[in-house]
């Protein structure tokens, strides 16, 4: 619970800088890079030996994941015509919240695999998503 505060504060602050960087560099490459980095923080949580490690990794997770929304909304503006853009933004937002809702299923994984391996499973799925973005966006 406490690590969620570290994540949220870092995400909120980093999102401001993420938008600026997204305007200056290739958004696709930046999205893939940040996706890879934020999922490596999941893998590194498997190795955590104390609370400070987990807190730092949650901050890194917030930093890297802060790039997703500014980049995605910008890419939606590029890929969809004006008359379809509202629906595309709604689908992206709905998918984001659906993902948050489905993340509660990780509790089942924690119960059967333990919290360390659950971080590994989540990191693996995230890296697959980054690969899909690299190949298809």
């Amino acid at each position: 619970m406490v690590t969620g505060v570290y994540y949220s504060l870092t995400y909120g602050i980093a999102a401001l800088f993420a938008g600026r960087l997204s305007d200056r560099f290739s958004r696709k490459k930046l999205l893939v890079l940040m996706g890879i980095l934020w999922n490596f923080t999941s893998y590194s949580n498997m190795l955590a030996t104390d609370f400070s490690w987990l807190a730092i990794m949650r901050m890194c997770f917030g930093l890297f994941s802060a790039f997703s929304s500014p980049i995605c909304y910008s890419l939606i503006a590029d890929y969809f015509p004006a008359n379809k853009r509202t629906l595309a933004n709604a689908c992206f937002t709905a998918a984001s919240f659906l993902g948050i809702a489905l993340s509660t299923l990780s509790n089942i994984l924690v119960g059967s695999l333990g919290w360390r391996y659950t971080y590994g499973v989540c990191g693996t799925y995230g890296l697959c998503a980054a690969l899909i973005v690299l190949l298809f966006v």
Side-chain angles (χ1 to χ4, degrees), residues 3-137:
T3 59
V5 173
Y6 294 117
Y7 168 83
S8 297
L9 287 175
T10 307
Y11 184 102
I13 294 166
L16 300 172
F17 299 102
R20 292 247 352 189
L21 287 173
S22 299
D23 287 336
R24 302 182 86 203
F25 299 102
S26 166
R27 291 168 295 161
K28 176 186 171 183
K29 290 178 183 174
L30 201 53
L31 183 61
V32 170
L33 175 65
M34 292 302 141
I36 290 169
L37 290 173
W38 91 53
N39 286 291
F40 274 127
T41 63
S42 289
Y43 284 119
S44 66
N45 280 328
M46 292 173 56
L47 307 173
T49 56
D50 57 21
F51 177 78
S52 59
W53 179 289
L54 288 172
I56 290 168
M57 288 302 103
R58 289 299 290 169
M59 290 173 70
C60 290
F61 188 80
L63 171 70
F64 302 138
S65 62
F67 281 79
S68 64
S69 290
I71 293 172
C72 290
Y73 284 118
S74 177
L75 288 173
I76 287 169
D78 288 348
Y79 282 81
F80 291 89
N83 64 334
K84 303 282 187 194
R85 207 169 292 149
T86 304
L87 177 60
N89 282 321
C91 289
F92 174 73
T93 302
S96 297
F97 282 94
L98 181 61
I100 291 168
L102 290 174
S103 71
T104 60
L105 295 175
S106 65
N107 294 331
I108 296 169
L109 287 176
V110 170
S112 60
L113 299 175
W115 66 270
R116 290 184 189 274
Y117 291 110
T118 299
Y119 273 115
V121 169
C122 292
T124 300
Y125 280 109
L127 288 175
C128 291
L131 179 63
I132 290 169
V133 169
L134 181 64
L135 295 175
F136 295 105
V137 172

